[in-house]
Amino acid sequence: MIIRLSDISMIKMSVNPPKSVVDADYCVIKDGTVHQYVGIGWVEVRTATQYDYDNIPQVLTPHCSQCCHYECLSNATMYCNKLQKRITARKQPCKDYDER
């Protein structure tokens, strides 16, 4: 199970949490650790085990190649249509990042 980071950070967990997160006792796996929602935010619980990967949804961290502005050129370079230039993968996506 994979969910996007925007699904977790943009919603109010008390109002409309994703069903897969509710079924996993309000837990997600992010960067190899299990995080649980405790009412005021996300708390790191433990390092994820193989059992956790099978039963708890993983958070997909944003990457430039998942952006709707991304294009792969014929010479295998990354190109951003929004910035109108070749790019390299960033640790954090730019301000124009959009997953649509």
Side-chain angles (χ1 to χ4, degrees):
M1 298 174 281
I2 295 178
I3 53 177
R4 289 184 284 192
L5 185 63
S6 60
D7 292 340
I8 296 298
S9 60
M10 300 294 276
I11 62 170
K12 299 289 185 197
M13 288 295 294
S14 60
V15 176
N16 190 19
K19 183 171 178 7
S20 60
V21 175
V22 173
D23 292 343
D25 194 29
Y26 293 93
C27 291
V28 294
I29 298 173
K30 183 174 185 259
D31 299 329
T33 58
V34 177
H35 295 264
Q36 186 173 25
Y37 191 77
V38 292
I40 58 170
W42 293 96
V43 176
E44 185 176 324
V45 178
R46 64 182 179 279
T47 304
T49 63
Q50 185 59 43
Y51 178 79
D52 294 331
Y53 281 104
D54 294 337
N55 297 306
I56 299 175
Q58 294 179 354
V59 176
L60 180 68
T61 55
H63 187 268
C64 293
S65 62
Q66 299 161 353
C67 182
C68 66
H69 304 297
Y70 168 81
E71 182 180 349
C72 185
L73 300 178
S74 60
N75 60 355
T77 58
M78 297 173 70
Y79 185 78
C80 179
N81 290 321
K82 183 75 171 182
L83 300 175
Q84 296 290 311
K85 65 178 185 177
R86 291 185 318 181
I87 60 171
T88 57
R90 301 176 169 104
K91 290 183 180 179
Q92 296 291 325
C94 66
K95 62 181 173 140
D96 298 316
Y97 178 82
D98 189 10
E99 291 178 342
R100 277 190 238 167

